[in-house]
Amino acid sequence: MYQLLLTRKYLTSKVMPLLAMAAVTLSVATVLVTWSVMGGFLNTLLSSGRTLIGDVSIHWPNVGFPYYDDLIERLEADPQVAAAAPLIETFGVVALPDDQVHGVVVKGVDGPSYARVSGFDDSVWWRPIDEPLRKDRETREDPRLGGEGYHAGTDWNALLESGLTLSEPDGEAAVVPGIELSGWNFRRASGVYVPGAPAMSSRDGRTDYLNLFLPDGELTLHLMPLDSRGRGVETVTRTVPVANEFHSGIFEADSRTMFARLDLIQRMMKMDAAEKIVAPASPFVFDPASGELVQAQPEVVGVDPARVTTVLVRAAEGVPVESEAAIAAFRDRVADIYAEFAEAHQGEVPSSMSILVRSWRDQNRSMIAAVEKETGLVLFVFGLVCFTTVFLVLAIFWSMVSEKTKDIGILRSLGGSTAGIAALWLQYGAAVGTVGSGVGLIAAWLVVRNINEIHEWLGQNLGLVIWDPAVYYFFEIPSDMDWSKAATVVVAGVLTCLIGALIPAVRAGAMDPVRALRFE
Amino acid sequence: MTETGPIISATNLHKTYKMGRVKVPVLRGLSVSARKGEWVAILGASGSGKSTLLHLLGGLDRPDRGHKDTAIHFEGKPLGKMSRHELDRYRATQVGFVFQFYHLLPELRVLENVTVGAMVRHGLTGFLGAKHKVNRRATELLDAFGLGHRLRHRPGELSGGERQRVAIARALINQPRLLLADEPTGNLDRKTGEAILDSLAALREKLALTVVMVTHDQHVADRADRVIRLADGVVAPEGVPGAENASP
Ligand SMILES: Nc1ncnc2c1ncn2[C@@H]1O[C@H](COP(=O)(O)OP(=O)(O)O)[C@@H](O)[C@H]1O
Ligand SMILES: [Mg+2]
């Protein structure tokens, strides 16, 4: 009881405990802010990496597999599956109007169904927006806001519609390249993209502005279908209109990927449905109607169904796909469905033994490993900070026990026991730790919540830009506090104080009461 | 135990402090006792071992071992046989200490400085149960000392005499049988000291308290029923000049 009373009194009437509390507050706040911002940053990176790949993919490269409609139907009949979508993944060469040539990953997709398994909808960049990006609040230089300027007349709604369907308004198949592919979109410090419009002075002295807004133009796509042995057959070249551009948040993807409408890629790759024909025995046949010899027509003996290289699957709402174990279970379920499908189409589709079924984690292994390494690093620093705080608290409590020697003697003379005195100081340590950690938690929460404002202020007033949007590839610093992390750090803060208070507490308890009473 | 038997008796007490390698003998075979309700004064020069004796009687310290028949008995029970825990209980329930320099806890208010003794004794749950009674007793004691209006003050705001009264109230909060007073007036002017001694006398009467008081001041010692002179670590023999027990 006297411990509670004295803890309260010591807390409110001394400077030393405030110092110890400040130490705990600072450590807790520092660790929490670092961990939250770092964690948010890595999570954003991870989820960007997931944007365009669905949860699980069924993949058979190059020649692909037919009857994918049946597979999708089977998949979508399963309650664990929300949606499935066909996709062709291949490599191509893109020639831009200014003679740039880039090797790209080409993904043939059907816009609406692909959007159901991925974040494609949200990644289509050129669209009308009402709210400027956070950092663009004052300048409002984002052309998508529909302000004045070079792109004032652009119909952003029509662009968005074209992007989502990968089609021109007249129905022609179109492509959606990554926003960094052309290099014409200038990324401002505010994170917004402004299409390039370089001035060229022509020979007669006039200044011409070149509109390098890719969605107004077209590009040339070269694909090289390979036969089942991997030999090139011929190069197929098409000039296709650009419907829009996409932004996933992963620079690699945004500079080296291009979406195209599925039927276009199927045709170019010769993976569309085709009639199976048998060449006639002789080149000319007798036509009874006219009584003349006419050219023989090939005989149609069947239809070769259309093929895709990949089917992407998205798990239903409530099916866990985050953890390694959960996504593995879902992947196995998808593999089972494929096995039934392969059974039904035996001999015509790859067997369930050889098909590649991969989860989003399987495809992002290296990035996940990096993220986990970073988290480990944060925890290591956390440990170091705790260690330092332990010694700080120890030093402060040691000197407080010395200062309070006489009180200890008095309490012993009143009948206080060794354990009781030690408990007083431990309790005091716990109180300092709890208050310090609590204040640290609140401080960290305020900082994390306002991290973007603080960052901006630092940038404007001190020229300190830690997260340059040109380097880090998103527009805002993620500002979410993970409450389980917060709990961990707060508990660690209290424990730190308790450990730091332990030795001084034992010393206080073991003090000789007579010497303590004589202490001047 | 009969009514007249000693409530506390110490036999052949030795205490030697070690100052580095030098041994400083302070008590060398001292024997004292006090009957129930008696007020005993122990008179001795500064440094003669008076405080040391009180600490031994109060169970804060133990006498040297290795001497024949060394023992302290409280109501017939030997302190030497008590465990540390039992000694803690002994101090909490049977003994009240009063010190020359008051030894109040500076962060606590006057009332809290008194009740803290009961908190130590009862523990958390016990104190919450007895809180009402303890507060009433503390207020009564402080009222009797004329401090009823200063309950919420801090020790720093009181005069020396007032502080010593708070300290006496604290020593009495647990209704001990034995009050050990270490020069209770040593830090006060004569008039205030007299008043404190008056209070002590009244309380002893009212509570049937046994008081062992040490002092270096003959006038203070004269207030007691009996005076024991301490010299060279033992009780000085009767009849030494100046050691007569003058009647109050
Ligand atoms: N812890 C200690 N270590 C060494 N010497 C001590 C200690 N406590 C007391 N002494 C010495 O013992 C002697 C008696 O002390 P004390 O009992 O306080 O005397 P008094 O109360 O009569 O003035 C003094 O000389 C003092 O210096
Ligand atoms: Mg003394």
Side-chain angles (χ1 to χ4, degrees):
Chain A
M1 179 65 200
Y2 67 96
Q3 289 97 340
L4 279 180
L5 177 68
L6 281 169
T7 295
R8 191 159 58 80
K9 296 285 175 169
Y10 286 177
L11 272 185
T12 49
S13 61
K14 292 270 169 240
V15 184
M16 286 297 228
L18 291 183
L19 291 180
M21 253 184 246
V24 178
T25 297
L26 278 178
S27 327
V28 163
T30 311
V31 169
L32 252 178
V33 168
T34 316
W35 204 4
S36 294
V37 174
M38 191 81 181
F41 171 78
L42 296 175
N43 270 338
T44 307
L45 210 64
L46 262 190
S47 68
S48 302
R50 281 177 74 173
T51 312
L52 299 174
I53 60 173
D55 292 326
V56 167
S57 76
I58 301 169
H59 191 61
W60 188 248
N62 192 16
V63 292
F65 54 89
Y67 307 117
Y68 55 87
D69 284 334
D70 181 34
L71 176 60
I72 289 170
E73 208 169 291
R74 285 165 186 267
L75 284 165
E76 288 185 342
D78 191 272
Q80 287 193 31
V81 174
L87 180 138
I88 293 178
E89 206 175 307
T90 184
F91 295 96
V93 170
V94 161
L96 296 172
D98 64 346
D99 291 343
Q100 290 185 67
V101 176
H102 294 293
V104 294
V105 172
V106 177
K107 293 188 177 193
V109 296
D110 165 49
S113 77
Y114 180 57
R116 281 198 294 276
V117 299
S118 71
F120 179 63
D121 258 8
D122 297 327
S123 69
V124 172
W125 183 259
W126 302 110
R127 57 168 70 209
I129 58 172
D130 301 328
E131 287 290 311
L133 296 179
R134 172 186 289 274
K135 292 197 175 155
D136 189 30
R137 266 170 321 190
E138 267 127 49
T139 41
R140 297 182 72 95
E141 57 192 349
D142 197 331
R144 299 178 298 166
L145 288 162
E148 324 215 320
Y150 204 83
H151 295 278
T154 308
D155 182 352
W156 301 105
N157 274 310
L159 270 182
L160 175 61
E161 183 57 28
S162 299
L164 293 178
T165 54
L166 296 122
S167 310
E168 287 292 281
D170 62 7
E172 188 185 354
V175 294
V176 175
I179 194 146
E180 297 280 0
L181 181 75
S182 67
W184 299 344
N185 298 306
F186 184 67
R187 188 177 163 91
R188 292 280 161 85
S190 55
V192 308
Y193 284 97
V194 179
M200 308 262 267
S201 44
S202 55
R203 260 186 215 149
D204 53 359
R206 281 181 308 118
T207 303
D208 277 341
Y209 288 96
L210 289 179
N211 183 8
L212 293 184
F213 185 39
L214 196 51
D216 280 350
E218 51 187 23
L219 49 72
T220 307
L221 172 63
H222 307 272
L223 292 183
M224 193 165 68
L226 303 180
D227 69 10
S228 56
R229 289 195 186 148
R231 291 178 304 208
V233 184
E234 67 193 303
T235 305
V236 183
T237 301
R238 289 283 163 85
T239 299
V240 278
V242 176
N244 209 315
E245 288 173 295
F246 77 89
H247 174 270
S248 73
I250 298 289
F251 185 80
E252 265 314 297
D254 292 353
S255 58
R256 288 284 173 266
T257 306
M258 187 174 83
F259 288 102
R261 207 166 81 186
L262 181 62
D263 57 333
L264 170 70
I265 302 302
Q266 279 178 323
R267 265 180 282 124
M268 289 177 76
M269 296 294 288
K270 314 241 182 310
M271 294 170 84
D272 53 340
E275 289 175 334
K276 257 192 235 171
I277 52 171
V278 173
S282 65
F284 297 98
V285 291
F286 179 74
D287 178 17
S290 60
E292 286 174 38
L293 277 178
V294 293
Q295 203 163 0
Q297 293 297 316
E299 188 190 352
V300 177
V301 294
V303 175
D304 229 354
R307 285 168 294 141
V308 295
T309 62
T310 310
V311 166
L312 293 181
V313 188
R314 186 198 197 102
E317 201 78 36
V319 176
V321 290
E322 294 307 316
S323 72
E324 187 77 57
I327 191 63
F330 182 66
R331 184 190 60 204
D332 293 348
R333 176 77 203 123
V334 169
D336 288 347
I337 297 172
Y338 184 85
E340 288 165 23
F341 164 78
E343 187 89 8
H345 297 276
Q346 220 162 14
E348 293 175 290
V349 300
S351 83
S352 58
M353 306 297 286
S354 47
I355 196 89
L356 286 171
V357 181
R358 292 177 301 177
S359 72
W360 70 270
R361 273 181 172 270
D362 298 332
Q363 295 180 63
N364 279 329
R365 277 280 170 243
S366 60
M367 199 189 288
I368 292 170
V371 165
E372 273 156 12
K373 203 183 276 169
E374 301 274 16
T375 308
L377 203 65
V378 169
L379 288 177
F380 176 70
V381 173
F382 182 18
L384 275 186
V385 170
C386 279
F387 203 63
T388 317
T389 314
V390 165
F391 280 98
L392 221 64
V393 170
L394 195 152
I396 292 172
F397 268 60
W398 187 270
S399 84
M400 281 200 314
V401 164
S402 301
E403 194 192 323
K404 284 284 161 204
T405 298
K406 186 147 267 169
D407 288 25
I408 293 165
I410 296 168
L411 291 168
R412 292 302 305 275
S413 80
L414 291 172
S417 63
T418 295
I421 300 293
L424 163 64
W425 290 94
L426 276 184
Q427 202 169 325
Y428 193 34
V432 167
T434 308
V435 176
S437 301
V439 176
L441 174 65
I442 294 169
W445 183 70
L446 287 176
V447 170
V448 169
R449 256 184 66 117
N450 299 306
I451 186 83
N452 285 290
E453 282 81 356
I454 294 170
H455 185 247
E456 233 165 274
W457 187 89
L458 285 177
Q460 279 163 11
N461 293 283
L462 306 175
L464 198 66
V465 179
I466 306 161
W467 312 73
D468 184 352
V471 180
Y472 295 98
Y473 212 58
F474 27 81
F475 314 107
E476 288 183 18
I477 306 168
S479 56
D480 270 339
M481 186 104 137
D482 179 338
W483 290 103
S484 68
K485 282 178 190 168
T488 312
V489 175
V490 166
V491 167
V494 176
L495 277 182
T496 298
C497 251
L498 276 177
I499 295 170
L502 188 63
I503 294 173
V506 167
R507 172 180 169 233
M511 238 174 221
D512 176 4
V514 172
R515 278 166 182 272
L517 281 171
R518 285 182 193 270
F519 179 81
E520 289 306 323
Chain B
M1 208 75 310
T2 62
E3 267 303 297
T4 52
I7 185 168
I8 182 128
S9 72
T11 331
N12 195 26
L13 295 186
H14 289 259
K15 188 74 190 176
T16 307
Y17 290 112
K18 288 190 199 75
M19 302 272 285
R21 256 179 261 146
V22 186
K23 288 185 177 176
V24 184
V26 179
L27 302 181
R28 325 165 178 232
L30 178 79
S31 299
V32 290
S33 66
R35 286 190 305 280
K36 198 174 171 197
E38 193 181 21
W39 182 351
V40 178
I42 294 171
L43 186 60
S46 181
S48 59
K50 306 184 298 291
S51 297
T52 303
L53 172 63
L54 281 195
H55 293 151
L56 294 179
L57 294 182
L60 266 181
D61 206 350
R62 296 191 194 259
D64 292 346
R65 289 196 237 175
H67 297 277
K68 199 164 171 288
D69 297 333
T70 294
I72 303 171
H73 285 89
F74 179 81
E75 293 195 319
K77 287 193 292 286
L79 296 196
K81 294 258 163 64
M82 289 188 188
S83 66
R84 282 160 58 138
H85 174 70
E86 284 168 323
L87 275 183
D88 291 337
R89 293 309 295 165
Y90 166 65
R91 283 198 307 279
T93 56
Q94 311 287 5
V95 181
F97 274 104
V98 177
F99 304 100
Q100 177 177 359
F101 297 103
Y102 331 121
H103 286 353
L104 298 178
L105 297 167
E107 280 87 7
L108 301 192
R109 299 173 190 286
V110 164
L111 183 66
E112 293 161 339
N113 254 298
V114 176
T115 52
V116 74
M119 292 179 188
V120 171
R121 174 181 171 173
H122 293 291
L124 179 57
T125 44
F127 178 76
L128 289 180
K131 189 174 177 190
H132 208 66
K133 251 170 61 187
V134 169
N135 275 342
R136 208 177 53 224
R137 182 169 163 80
T139 316
E140 272 170 19
L141 283 165
L142 290 167
D143 259 339
F145 286 146
L147 289 170
H149 60 295
R150 320 214 53 173
L151 301 183
R152 300 191 53 76
H153 288 232
R154 303 213 188 259
E157 298 157 9
L158 303 183
S159 72
E162 287 169 328
R163 287 188 214 183
Q164 193 60 299
R165 288 194 173 95
V166 175
I168 294 172
R170 177 181 68 192
L172 297 177
I173 189 70
N174 289 331
Q175 293 169 285
R177 314 280 306 278
L178 180 62
L179 189 71
L180 301 175
D182 191 348
E183 312 216 27
T185 62
N187 213 35
L188 303 172
D189 60 76
R190 173 145 300 237
K191 200 165 148 252
T192 315
E194 288 293 335
I196 290 286
L197 292 173
D198 290 341
S199 307
L200 264 186
L203 279 168
R204 175 178 74 108
E205 208 69 40
K206 196 167 139 209
L207 305 173
L209 207 57
T210 309
V211 180
V212 177
M213 175 181 77
V214 304
T215 178
H216 66 273
D217 187 337
Q218 180 73 50
H219 290 282
V220 173
D222 287 346
R223 295 289 300 265
D225 303 334
R226 182 156 65 91
V227 178
I228 299 171
R229 294 200 126 245
L230 204 58
D232 296 329
V234 290
V235 175
E238 300 274 334
V240 175
E244 288 87 4
N245 190 359
S247 54

